[in-house]
Amino acid sequence: SLSLRRYGASPGSHSHAHFQILLGLTGALELDIEGRGLRVDPGSGCVIAPGDRHDFASQRGSLCLVLDSSHPDWARCATRHGTALASLPAPALPLARYLATALQQGHPLAQAHGPALLREAWLTAPFPAGTPKPLAGAMRRRPIDWPALERWAAQQAHTPLTVADLAQRVHLSPSQFAARCRE
């Protein structure tokens, strides 16, 4: 299914049994995918593979075109361009913007044909010259503002805090937060 989604605070870490393709339209979306950080800005996107645990946060809000798909070709898209993309293949960005507008206006053909068009644009289009290449396996991590977390925790002195509480505050899953603390 193809949809427009507004992102804000983290709901917690989760995974899907399908591919999730995120195409940034406005704002910045910070992701943590299997312990690796990624930022989806307008004009960039990523393919999250089935089973990959991920979490997100957007401090100022973000709007993304999101495709949830079980089509096997998305595995080729992730392999061809890497899980993280610095920018979308050239034809995918105007197509994503058009599909977003069409979805907002209730055009049924956007939902019916948009997923196949996005997949085709992603698979067949080369990245334009000068476009940053995919980050492959070396995605940067979202930083944790440790002093801000410490100040917040001090304000919660009257309440017992768990690892999950601290992780939620910094938009990570409890397991990812615990791993970052160990590091």
Side-chain angles (χ1 to χ4, degrees):
S1 71
L2 191 61
S3 62
L4 283 174
R5 297 188 194 164
R6 293 197 180 280
Y7 290 99
S10 170
S13 178
H14 62 282
S15 64
H16 307 284
H18 55 268
F19 290 98
Q20 188 167 67
I21 298 85
L22 301 168
L23 308 169
L25 298 171
T26 64
L29 180 64
E30 298 283 340
L31 291 161
D32 184 278
I33 304 170
E34 293 290 321
R36 295 171 293 175
L38 170 69
R39 181 180 169 119
V40 175
D41 290 311
S44 68
C46 70
V47 177
I48 301 172
D52 279 0
R53 291 206 61 77
H54 58 282
D55 196 0
F56 64 82
S58 180
Q59 290 185 357
R60 293 190 174 93
S62 174
L63 179 66
C64 292
L65 182 65
V66 179
L67 174 60
D68 293 311
S69 176
S70 295
H71 197 288
D73 277 353
W74 284 108
R76 288 178 39 221
C77 295
T79 302
R80 179 172 181 231
H81 297 301
T83 301
L85 296 178
S87 64
L88 300 177
L93 182 56
L95 176 59
R97 289 182 178 143
Y98 168 77
L99 289 171
T101 301
L103 286 173
Q104 288 174 326
Q105 296 174 354
H107 296 294
L109 290 178
Q111 188 63 250
H113 299 290
L117 291 170
L118 281 171
R119 190 174 60 251
E120 184 176 322
W122 208 294
L123 277 172
T124 60
F127 284 96
T131 298
K133 297 298 181 222
L135 301 175
M139 293 190 283
R140 67 174 178 82
R141 296 169 133 199
R142 180 176 32 185
I144 295 175
D145 185 345
W146 294 104
L149 181 61
E150 186 177 357
R151 287 189 299 275
W152 177 82
Q155 294 171 351
Q156 310 304 314
H158 61 284
T159 307
L161 293 175
T162 66
V163 171
D165 296 326
L166 296 169
Q168 182 179 15
R169 184 71 185 173
V170 296
H171 311 294
L172 290 173
S173 67
S175 62
Q176 292 302 320
F177 180 75
R180 298 282 284 278
C181 287
R182 284 191 295 275
E183 289 173 2

Coordinates of all heavy atoms in Angstrom, one line a residue, residues 55-147:
D55 N 13.5 2.0 14.2 CA 12.9 3.1 15.0 C 13.1 4.4 14.3 O 14.0 4.5 13.5 CB 13.5 3.1 16.4 CG 12.7 3.8 17.4 OD1 11.6 4.3 17.1 OD2 13.1 3.9 18.6
F56 N 12.3 5.4 14.6 CA 12.4 6.6 13.9 C 12.0 7.8 14.9 O 11.4 7.5 15.9 CB 11.5 6.7 12.7 CG 10.0 6.6 13.0 CD1 9.3 7.7 13.5 CD2 9.4 5.4 12.9 CE1 8.0 7.6 13.8 CE2 8.0 5.3 13.2 CZ 7.3 6.4 13.7
A57 N 12.4 8.9 14.5 CA 12.0 10.2 15.2 C 12.2 11.3 14.3 O 13.1 11.3 13.5 CB 12.8 10.3 16.5
S58 N 11.3 12.3 14.5 CA 11.5 13.6 13.7 C 11.1 14.7 14.7 O 10.0 14.9 15.0 CB 10.6 13.6 12.5 OG 10.7 14.8 11.8
Q59 N 12.1 15.4 15.1 CA 11.9 16.5 16.1 C 11.0 17.6 15.6 O 10.2 18.1 16.4 CB 13.2 17.1 16.6 CG 14.1 16.1 17.4 CD 15.3 16.8 17.9 OE1 15.6 17.9 17.6 NE2 16.1 16.0 18.7
R60 N 11.1 17.9 14.4 CA 10.2 19.0 13.9 C 9.1 18.5 12.9 O 8.4 19.3 12.3 CB 11.1 20.1 13.1 CG 12.0 20.8 14.1 CD 12.7 22.0 13.4 NE 13.4 22.7 14.4 CZ 14.7 22.6 14.6 NH1 15.4 21.6 14.0 NH2 15.3 23.3 15.5
G61 N 9.0 17.2 12.8 CA 8.0 16.6 11.9 C 8.5 16.4 10.5 O 9.4 17.0 10.1
S62 N 8.1 15.3 10.0 CA 8.5 14.9 8.6 C 7.3 14.3 7.9 O 6.5 13.7 8.5 CB 9.6 13.8 8.8 OG 10.0 13.3 7.6
L63 N 7.3 14.5 6.6 CA 6.3 13.9 5.7 C 7.0 13.0 4.7 O 7.9 13.5 4.0 CB 5.5 15.0 5.0 CG 4.4 14.5 4.1 CD1 3.3 13.8 4.8 CD2 3.8 15.7 3.2
C64 N 6.6 11.8 4.6 CA 7.2 10.8 3.7 C 6.1 10.1 2.9 O 5.0 9.9 3.4 CB 8.0 9.8 4.5 SG 9.5 10.4 5.3
L65 N 6.4 9.8 1.7 CA 5.7 8.9 0.9 C 6.2 7.5 1.3 O 7.4 7.2 1.3 CB 5.9 9.1 -0.6 CG 5.0 8.3 -1.5 CD1 3.6 8.6 -1.4 CD2 5.5 8.5 -3.0
V66 N 5.3 6.6 1.8 CA 5.7 5.3 2.3 C 5.0 4.3 1.5 O 3.8 4.3 1.3 CB 5.3 5.2 3.8 CG1 5.7 3.8 4.3 CG2 5.9 6.3 4.6
L67 N 5.8 3.3 1.1 CA 5.2 2.1 0.4 C 5.5 0.9 1.2 O 6.7 0.6 1.5 CB 5.9 2.0 -1.0 CG 5.5 0.8 -1.8 CD1 4.0 0.7 -2.1 CD2 6.3 0.7 -3.1
D68 N 4.5 0.2 1.6 CA 4.6 -1.1 2.2 C 4.4 -2.2 1.2 O 3.3 -2.2 0.6 CB 3.6 -1.3 3.4 CG 3.9 -0.3 4.5 OD1 5.1 -0.2 4.9 OD2 3.0 0.4 5.0
S69 N 5.4 -3.0 0.9 CA 5.3 -3.9 -0.3 C 6.0 -5.2 0.0 O 7.1 -5.2 0.6 CB 5.9 -3.3 -1.5 OG 5.9 -4.1 -2.6
S70 N 5.4 -6.3 -0.4 CA 6.0 -7.6 -0.4 C 6.6 -8.0 -1.7 O 7.1 -9.2 -1.8 CB 5.0 -8.6 0.1 OG 4.5 -8.4 1.4
H71 N 6.6 -7.1 -2.7 CA 7.1 -7.5 -4.0 C 8.6 -7.8 -3.9 O 9.4 -7.0 -3.4 CB 6.9 -6.3 -5.0 CG 7.0 -6.7 -6.4 ND1 8.2 -7.0 -7.0 CD2 6.0 -6.9 -7.4 CE1 8.0 -7.4 -8.2 NE2 6.7 -7.3 -8.5
P72 N 9.0 -8.9 -4.4 CA 10.4 -9.4 -4.3 C 11.4 -8.5 -5.0 O 12.6 -8.5 -4.6 CB 10.4 -10.8 -4.9 CG 9.2 -10.8 -5.8 CD 8.2 -9.9 -5.2
D73 N 11.0 -7.7 -6.0 CA 12.0 -6.8 -6.7 C 12.6 -5.7 -5.7 O 13.6 -5.2 -6.0 CB 11.3 -6.1 -7.9 CG 11.3 -6.9 -9.1 OD1 11.9 -8.0 -9.1 OD2 10.6 -6.5 -10.1
W74 N 11.9 -5.4 -4.6 CA 12.5 -4.4 -3.7 C 13.8 -5.0 -3.1 O 14.6 -4.2 -2.7 CB 11.4 -4.0 -2.6 CG 10.4 -3.1 -3.2 CD1 9.1 -3.3 -3.5 CD2 10.7 -1.7 -3.7 NE1 8.6 -2.2 -4.1 CE2 9.5 -1.2 -4.2 CE3 11.8 -0.9 -3.7 CZ2 9.4 0.1 -4.7 CZ3 11.7 0.4 -4.2 CH2 10.5 0.9 -4.7
A75 N 13.9 -6.3 -3.0 CA 15.2 -6.8 -2.6 C 16.3 -6.4 -3.5 O 17.4 -6.1 -3.1 CB 15.1 -8.3 -2.5
R76 N 16.0 -6.4 -4.8 CA 17.0 -6.0 -5.8 C 17.3 -4.5 -5.7 O 18.4 -4.0 -5.9 CB 16.5 -6.3 -7.2 CG 16.5 -7.8 -7.6 CD 16.0 -8.1 -8.9 NE 16.3 -7.2 -10.0 CZ 15.5 -6.8 -10.9 NH1 14.2 -7.2 -11.0 NH2 15.9 -5.9 -11.9
C77 N 16.3 -3.7 -5.4 CA 16.5 -2.3 -5.2 C 17.4 -2.0 -4.0 O 18.3 -1.2 -4.1 CB 15.1 -1.6 -5.0 SG 14.0 -1.6 -6.3
A78 N 17.2 -2.7 -2.9 CA 18.0 -2.5 -1.8 C 19.5 -3.0 -2.1 O 20.4 -2.4 -1.7 CB 17.5 -3.3 -0.6
T79 N 19.6 -4.1 -2.8 CA 20.9 -4.6 -3.2 C 21.6 -3.7 -4.2 O 22.8 -3.4 -4.0 CB 20.8 -6.0 -3.8 OG1 20.1 -6.9 -2.8 CG2 22.1 -6.6 -4.1
R80 N 20.9 -3.2 -5.1 CA 21.5 -2.4 -6.2 C 22.0 -1.0 -5.6 O 23.0 -0.5 -6.0 CB 20.5 -2.1 -7.3 CG 21.0 -1.2 -8.4 CD 20.1 -1.1 -9.6 NE 20.7 -0.3 -10.6 CZ 20.1 0.7 -11.1 NH1 18.8 1.0 -10.8 NH2 20.7 1.5 -12.0
H81 N 21.2 -0.4 -4.8 CA 21.5 0.9 -4.3 C 21.9 0.9 -2.8 O 22.1 2.0 -2.3 CB 20.3 1.9 -4.5 CG 20.0 2.0 -6.0 ND1 20.9 2.5 -6.9 CD2 18.9 1.8 -6.7 CE1 20.3 2.6 -8.1 NE2 19.1 2.1 -8.0
G82 N 21.9 -0.2 -2.2 CA 22.2 -0.2 -0.7 C 21.0 0.1 0.1 O 20.0 0.6 -0.4
T83 N 21.0 -0.2 1.3 CA 19.9 0.1 2.2 C 19.6 1.6 2.3 O 18.5 2.0 2.3 CB 20.1 -0.6 3.6 OG1 20.2 -2.0 3.4 CG2 18.9 -0.3 4.5
A84 N 20.7 2.3 2.5 CA 20.6 3.8 2.7 C 20.9 4.5 1.4 O 21.9 4.1 0.7 CB 21.6 4.2 3.8
L85 N 20.1 5.5 1.1 CA 20.4 6.2 -0.1 C 20.7 7.7 0.3 O 20.0 8.2 1.1 CB 19.2 6.2 -1.1 CG 18.9 4.8 -1.6 CD1 17.6 4.9 -2.5 CD2 20.0 4.3 -2.4
A86 N 21.7 8.3 -0.3 CA 21.9 9.7 -0.1 C 20.9 10.5 -0.9 O 20.6 11.6 -0.5 CB 23.4 10.0 -0.5
S87 N 20.5 10.0 -2.0 CA 19.4 10.7 -2.8 C 18.7 9.6 -3.6 O 19.2 8.5 -3.8 CB 20.0 11.8 -3.7 OG 20.8 11.2 -4.7
L88 N 17.5 10.0 -4.1 CA 16.7 9.0 -4.9 C 17.2 9.0 -6.3 O 17.8 10.0 -6.8 CB 15.3 9.5 -4.9 CG 14.6 9.6 -3.6 CD1 13.2 10.1 -3.7 CD2 14.5 8.2 -2.9
P89 N 17.0 7.9 -7.0 CA 17.3 7.9 -8.4 C 16.5 9.1 -9.1 O 15.4 9.3 -8.7 CB 16.8 6.5 -8.9 CG 16.8 5.7 -7.7 CD 16.5 6.6 -6.6
A90 N 17.1 9.7 -10.1 CA 16.5 11.0 -10.6 C 15.0 10.9 -10.9 O 14.3 11.8 -10.5 CB 17.3 11.3 -11.9
P91 N 14.5 9.9 -11.6 CA 13.1 9.9 -11.9 C 12.2 9.7 -10.7 O 11.0 9.9 -10.7 CB 12.9 8.8 -12.9 CG 14.2 8.4 -13.3 CD 15.2 8.8 -12.3
A92 N 12.7 9.1 -9.6 CA 11.9 8.7 -8.4 C 11.4 10.0 -7.7 O 10.3 9.9 -7.2 CB 12.7 7.8 -7.5
L93 N 12.2 11.0 -7.6 CA 11.8 12.2 -6.8 C 10.5 12.9 -7.4 O 9.6 13.1 -6.7 CB 12.9 13.2 -6.6 CG 12.6 14.4 -5.7 CD1 12.1 14.0 -4.3 CD2 13.8 15.2 -5.6
P94 N 10.5 13.3 -8.7 CA 9.3 13.9 -9.2 C 8.1 13.0 -9.2 O 7.0 13.4 -8.9 CB 9.7 14.3 -10.6 CG 11.0 13.8 -10.9 CD 11.6 13.3 -9.6
L95 N 8.4 11.7 -9.4 CA 7.3 10.7 -9.3 C 6.7 10.7 -7.9 O 5.5 10.6 -7.7 CB 7.8 9.4 -9.7 CG 6.8 8.2 -9.7 CD1 5.6 8.5 -10.5 CD2 7.5 6.9 -10.1
A96 N 7.6 10.7 -6.9 CA 7.2 10.6 -5.5 C 6.3 11.9 -5.2 O 5.3 11.8 -4.5 CB 8.4 10.5 -4.5
R97 N 6.8 13.0 -5.6 CA 6.0 14.2 -5.4 C 4.6 14.2 -6.1 O 3.6 14.6 -5.5 CB 6.8 15.5 -5.8 CG 8.0 15.7 -4.9 CD 8.8 17.0 -5.4 NE 9.9 17.2 -4.5 CZ 11.0 17.7 -4.9 NH1 11.3 17.9 -6.1 NH2 12.0 17.9 -4.0
Y98 N 4.6 13.7 -7.3 CA 3.4 13.6 -8.0 C 2.4 12.6 -7.3 O 1.2 12.9 -7.1 CB 3.6 13.1 -9.5 CG 2.3 12.7 -10.1 CD1 1.4 13.7 -10.5 CD2 1.9 11.4 -10.2 CE1 0.1 13.3 -11.1 CE2 0.7 11.0 -10.7 CZ -0.2 12.0 -11.1 OH -1.4 11.6 -11.6
L99 N 2.9 11.5 -6.9 CA 2.1 10.5 -6.2 C 1.6 11.0 -4.9 O 0.4 10.8 -4.5 CB 2.9 9.2 -6.0 CG 3.2 8.4 -7.3 CD1 4.1 7.2 -7.0 CD2 1.9 7.9 -7.9
A100 N 2.4 11.8 -4.2 CA 1.9 12.4 -2.9 C 0.8 13.3 -3.2 O -0.3 13.3 -2.5 CB 3.1 13.2 -2.2
T101 N 0.9 14.2 -4.2 CA -0.2 15.1 -4.5 C -1.5 14.3 -5.0 O -2.6 14.6 -4.6 CB 0.2 16.0 -5.7 OG1 1.3 16.8 -5.2 CG2 -0.9 17.0 -6.0
A102 N -1.3 13.3 -5.8 CA -2.4 12.4 -6.3 C -3.1 11.7 -5.1 O -4.3 11.7 -5.1 CB -1.9 11.4 -7.3
L103 N -2.3 11.2 -4.1 CA -2.9 10.6 -3.0 C -3.7 11.6 -2.2 O -4.9 11.3 -1.7 CB -1.9 10.0 -2.1 CG -1.2 8.7 -2.6 CD1 -0.1 8.3 -1.7 CD2 -2.2 7.5 -2.7
Q104 N -3.2 12.8 -2.0 CA -3.9 13.8 -1.2 C -5.2 14.2 -1.9 O -6.2 14.6 -1.3 CB -3.0 15.1 -1.1 CG -1.9 14.9 -0.1 CD -1.0 16.1 -0.1 OE1 -0.7 16.7 -1.1 NE2 -0.4 16.4 1.1
Q105 N -5.2 14.2 -3.2 CA -6.4 14.5 -4.0 C -7.4 13.3 -4.2 O -8.4 13.5 -4.9 CB -6.0 15.2 -5.3 CG -5.3 16.5 -5.1 CD -4.8 17.1 -6.4 OE1 -4.8 16.5 -7.5 NE2 -4.2 18.3 -6.3
G106 N -7.0 12.2 -3.7 CA -7.8 11.0 -3.8 C -7.9 10.3 -5.2 O -8.9 9.7 -5.5
H107 N -6.9 10.5 -6.0 CA -6.8 9.9 -7.3 C -6.6 8.4 -7.2 O -5.5 8.0 -6.7 CB -5.8 10.5 -8.2 CG -6.1 11.9 -8.5 ND1 -7.2 12.3 -9.3 CD2 -5.4 13.1 -8.2 CE1 -7.1 13.7 -9.4 NE2 -6.1 14.1 -8.7
P108 N -7.5 7.5 -7.6 CA -7.3 6.0 -7.3 C -6.2 5.4 -8.2 O -5.6 4.4 -7.7 CB -8.7 5.4 -7.7 CG -9.3 6.5 -8.6 CD -8.8 7.8 -8.2
L109 N -5.8 6.0 -9.3 CA -4.7 5.4 -10.1 C -3.4 5.5 -9.4 O -2.5 4.7 -9.6 CB -4.7 6.1 -11.5 CG -5.8 5.7 -12.4 CD1 -5.7 6.5 -13.7 CD2 -5.9 4.3 -12.6
A110 N -3.2 6.5 -8.5 CA -2.0 6.7 -7.8 C -1.7 5.4 -6.9 O -0.6 4.9 -6.9 CB -2.0 7.9 -6.9
Q111 N -2.8 5.0 -6.2 CA -2.6 3.8 -5.4 C -2.5 2.5 -6.2 O -1.7 1.6 -5.9 CB -3.9 3.7 -4.5 CG -3.8 2.6 -3.4 CD -2.7 2.8 -2.4 OE1 -1.7 2.1 -2.4 NE2 -2.8 3.8 -1.6
A112 N -3.2 2.5 -7.3 CA -3.2 1.3 -8.2 C -1.9 1.1 -8.9 O -1.4 0.0 -9.0 CB -4.4 1.4 -9.2
H113 N -1.3 2.2 -9.4 CA -0.1 2.1 -10.3 C 1.2 2.7 -9.7 O 2.3 2.4 -10.2 CB -0.4 2.7 -11.6 CG -1.5 2.0 -12.4 ND1 -1.4 0.8 -12.9 CD2 -2.8 2.5 -12.6 CE1 -2.6 0.4 -13.4 NE2 -3.4 1.4 -13.3
G114 N 1.0 3.5 -8.6 CA 2.2 4.1 -8.0 C 3.3 3.2 -7.6 O 4.4 3.4 -7.8
P115 N 2.9 2.1 -6.8 CA 4.0 1.2 -6.4 C 4.8 0.6 -7.5 O 6.0 0.5 -7.4 CB 3.2 0.1 -5.6 CG 1.9 0.8 -5.1 CD 1.6 1.7 -6.2
A116 N 4.2 0.2 -8.6 CA 4.9 -0.4 -9.7 C 5.8 0.7 -10.4 O 6.9 0.4 -10.8 CB 4.0 -1.0 -10.7
L117 N 5.3 1.9 -10.5 CA 6.0 3.0 -11.1 C 7.3 3.3 -10.3 O 8.3 3.5 -10.8 CB 5.2 4.2 -11.4 CG 4.1 4.0 -12.4 CD1 3.1 5.2 -12.4 CD2 4.7 3.9 -13.8
L118 N 7.1 3.4 -9.0 CA 8.2 3.7 -8.1 C 9.3 2.6 -8.2 O 10.5 2.9 -8.3 CB 7.7 3.8 -6.6 CG 7.1 5.1 -6.3 CD1 6.5 5.0 -4.9 CD2 8.1 6.2 -6.3
R119 N 8.8 1.3 -8.2 CA 9.8 0.2 -8.3 C 10.6 0.3 -9.6 O 11.8 0.1 -9.6 CB 9.0 -1.1 -8.1 CG 9.9 -2.3 -8.0 CD 9.1 -3.6 -7.7 NE 8.2 -3.9 -8.7 CZ 6.8 -3.8 -8.7 NH1 6.3 -3.3 -7.6 NH2 6.1 -4.1 -9.7
E120 N 9.8 0.5 -10.7 CA 10.5 0.6 -12.0 C 11.5 1.8 -12.0 O 12.6 1.7 -12.5 CB 9.5 0.8 -13.1 CG 10.1 0.8 -14.5 CD 9.0 0.9 -15.5 OE1 7.9 0.3 -15.4 OE2 9.2 1.6 -16.6
A121 N 11.1 2.9 -11.5 CA 12.0 4.1 -11.5 C 13.2 3.8 -10.6 O 14.4 4.2 -11.0 CB 11.3 5.3 -10.9
W122 N 13.1 3.1 -9.5 CA 14.2 2.8 -8.6 C 15.1 1.8 -9.3 O 16.3 1.9 -9.2 CB 13.6 2.2 -7.3 CG 14.5 2.5 -6.1 CD1 15.7 2.0 -5.9 CD2 14.2 3.2 -5.0 NE1 16.2 2.4 -4.7 CE2 15.3 3.2 -4.1 CE3 13.1 4.0 -4.6 CZ2 15.3 3.8 -2.9 CZ3 13.1 4.6 -3.4 CH2 14.2 4.5 -2.5
L123 N 14.6 0.8 -10.0 CA 15.4 -0.3 -10.6 C 16.1 0.1 -11.8 O 17.2 -0.3 -12.1 CB 14.5 -1.5 -10.9 CG 14.3 -2.4 -9.7 CD1 13.2 -3.5 -10.1 CD2 15.5 -3.1 -9.2
T124 N 15.5 1.0 -12.7 CA 16.0 1.2 -14.0 C 16.8 2.5 -14.1 O 17.6 2.6 -15.0 CB 14.9 1.3 -15.0 OG1 14.0 2.3 -14.7 CG2 14.2 -0.1 -15.1
A125 N 16.7 3.4 -13.2 CA 17.3 4.7 -13.3 C 18.7 4.7 -12.7 O 18.9 4.3 -11.5 CB 16.5 5.8 -12.6
P126 N 19.7 5.2 -13.4 CA 21.0 5.4 -12.8 C 21.0 6.6 -11.9 O 20.2 7.5 -12.1 CB 21.9 5.6 -14.0 CG 21.0 6.2 -15.0 CD 19.7 5.6 -14.8
F127 N 21.9 6.7 -11.0 CA 22.0 7.9 -10.2 C 22.7 8.9 -11.1 O 23.6 8.6 -11.9 CB 22.9 7.7 -9.0 CG 22.2 7.0 -7.9 CD1 22.3 5.6 -7.7 CD2 21.4 7.7 -7.0 CE1 21.6 4.9 -6.8 CE2 20.7 7.0 -6.0 CZ 20.8 5.6 -5.9
P128 N 22.2 10.2 -11.1 CA 22.8 11.2 -11.9 C 24.3 11.5 -11.5 O 24.7 11.2 -10.4 CB 22.0 12.5 -11.7 CG 21.2 12.2 -10.5 CD 21.1 10.7 -10.3
A129 N 25.1 12.0 -12.5 CA 26.5 12.3 -12.2 C 26.5 13.3 -11.0 O 25.8 14.2 -11.0 CB 27.2 12.9 -13.4
G130 N 27.5 13.0 -10.1 CA 27.7 14.0 -9.0 C 26.8 13.6 -7.8 O 26.9 14.2 -6.8
T131 N 25.8 12.7 -8.0 CA 25.0 12.3 -6.9 C 25.8 11.5 -5.9 O 26.5 10.6 -6.3 CB 23.8 11.5 -7.4 OG1 23.0 12.3 -8.2 CG2 22.9 11.1 -6.2
P132 N 25.7 11.8 -4.6 CA 26.4 10.9 -3.6 C 25.9 9.5 -3.8 O 24.7 9.3 -4.0 CB 26.0 11.5 -2.3 CG 25.5 12.9 -2.6 CD 25.0 12.9 -4.0
K133 N 26.8 8.6 -3.7 CA 26.5 7.2 -3.8 C 25.9 6.6 -2.5 O 26.0 7.2 -1.5 CB 27.7 6.4 -4.2 CG 28.3 6.8 -5.5 CD 27.4 6.5 -6.6 CE 28.0 6.9 -7.9 NZ 27.1 7.6 -8.8
P134 N 25.2 5.5 -2.6 CA 24.7 4.9 -1.4 C 25.7 4.7 -0.3 O 26.9 4.5 -0.6 CB 24.1 3.5 -1.9 CG 23.9 3.7 -3.3 CD 25.0 4.7 -3.8
L135 N 25.3 4.7 0.9 CA 26.2 4.6 2.0 C 26.6 3.1 2.3 O 27.3 2.8 3.2 CB 25.6 5.2 3.3 CG 25.2 6.6 3.2 CD1 24.5 7.1 4.4 CD2 26.4 7.5 2.9
A136 N 26.0 2.2 1.5 CA 26.3 0.7 1.7 C 26.1 0.3 3.1 O 25.0 0.6 3.7 CB 27.7 0.4 1.2
G137 N 27.0 -0.3 3.7 CA 26.8 -0.8 5.1 C 27.2 0.1 6.2 O 27.0 -0.1 7.4
A138 N 27.8 1.3 5.8 CA 28.4 2.2 6.8 C 27.5 3.4 7.0 O 27.9 4.5 6.8 CB 29.7 2.6 6.3
M139 N 26.3 3.1 7.5 CA 25.4 4.3 7.8 C 25.8 5.0 9.1 O 26.3 4.3 10.0 CB 23.9 3.8 8.0 CG 23.4 3.3 6.7 SD 21.6 3.0 6.8 CE 21.5 1.5 7.7
R140 N 25.7 6.2 9.2 CA 26.1 6.9 10.4 C 25.0 6.8 11.4 O 23.8 6.6 11.1 CB 26.3 8.4 10.1 CG 25.1 9.2 9.7 CD 25.4 10.7 9.6 NE 24.2 11.4 9.2 CZ 23.3 11.8 10.0 NH1 23.3 11.5 11.2 NH2 22.2 12.4 9.5
R141 N 25.3 6.8 12.7 CA 24.4 6.7 13.7 C 23.8 8.0 14.2 O 24.5 9.0 14.1 CB 25.1 6.0 14.9 CG 25.5 4.7 14.6 CD 26.4 4.2 15.7 NE 26.0 2.9 16.1 CZ 26.3 2.4 17.3 NH1 27.0 3.0 18.1 NH2 25.9 1.1 17.5
R142 N 22.6 8.0 14.6 CA 22.0 9.2 15.1 C 22.6 9.4 16.5 O 22.8 8.6 17.3 CB 20.5 8.9 15.3 CG 19.7 10.0 15.9 CD 18.3 9.7 15.9 NE 18.0 8.3 16.2 CZ 16.8 7.8 16.2 NH1 15.8 8.5 16.0 NH2 16.7 6.5 16.4
P143 N 23.1 10.7 16.7 CA 23.8 11.0 18.0 C 22.8 11.0 19.1 O 21.6 11.3 19.0 CB 24.4 12.3 17.8 CG 23.6 12.9 16.7 CD 23.1 11.8 15.8
I144 N 23.3 10.7 20.3 CA 22.5 10.8 21.6 C 23.1 12.0 22.3 O 24.3 12.1 22.5 CB 22.7 9.5 22.4 CG1 22.1 8.3 21.7 CG2 22.0 9.8 23.8 CD1 22.2 7.0 22.5
D145 N 22.2 12.9 22.7 CA 22.6 14.1 23.4 C 22.6 13.6 24.9 O 21.6 13.7 25.6 CB 21.5 15.2 23.2 CG 21.9 16.5 23.9 OD1 22.8 16.5 24.8 OD2 21.3 17.5 23.6
W146 N 23.7 13.1 25.3 CA 23.9 12.6 26.7 C 23.6 13.6 27.8 O 22.9 13.3 28.7 CB 25.2 11.9 26.8 CG 25.4 10.7 26.0 CD1 26.1 10.6 24.8 CD2 24.8 9.4 26.2 NE1 26.0 9.3 24.3 CE2 25.2 8.6 25.1 CE3 24.0 8.9 27.1 CZ2 24.8 7.3 24.9 CZ3 23.6 7.5 27.0 CH2 24.0 6.8 25.9
P147 N 24.1 14.8 27.7 CA 23.8 15.8 28.7 C 22.3 16.1 28.8 O 21.8 16.2 29.9 CB 24.6 17.1 28.3 CG 25.7 16.5 27.4 CD 25.1 15.3 26.7

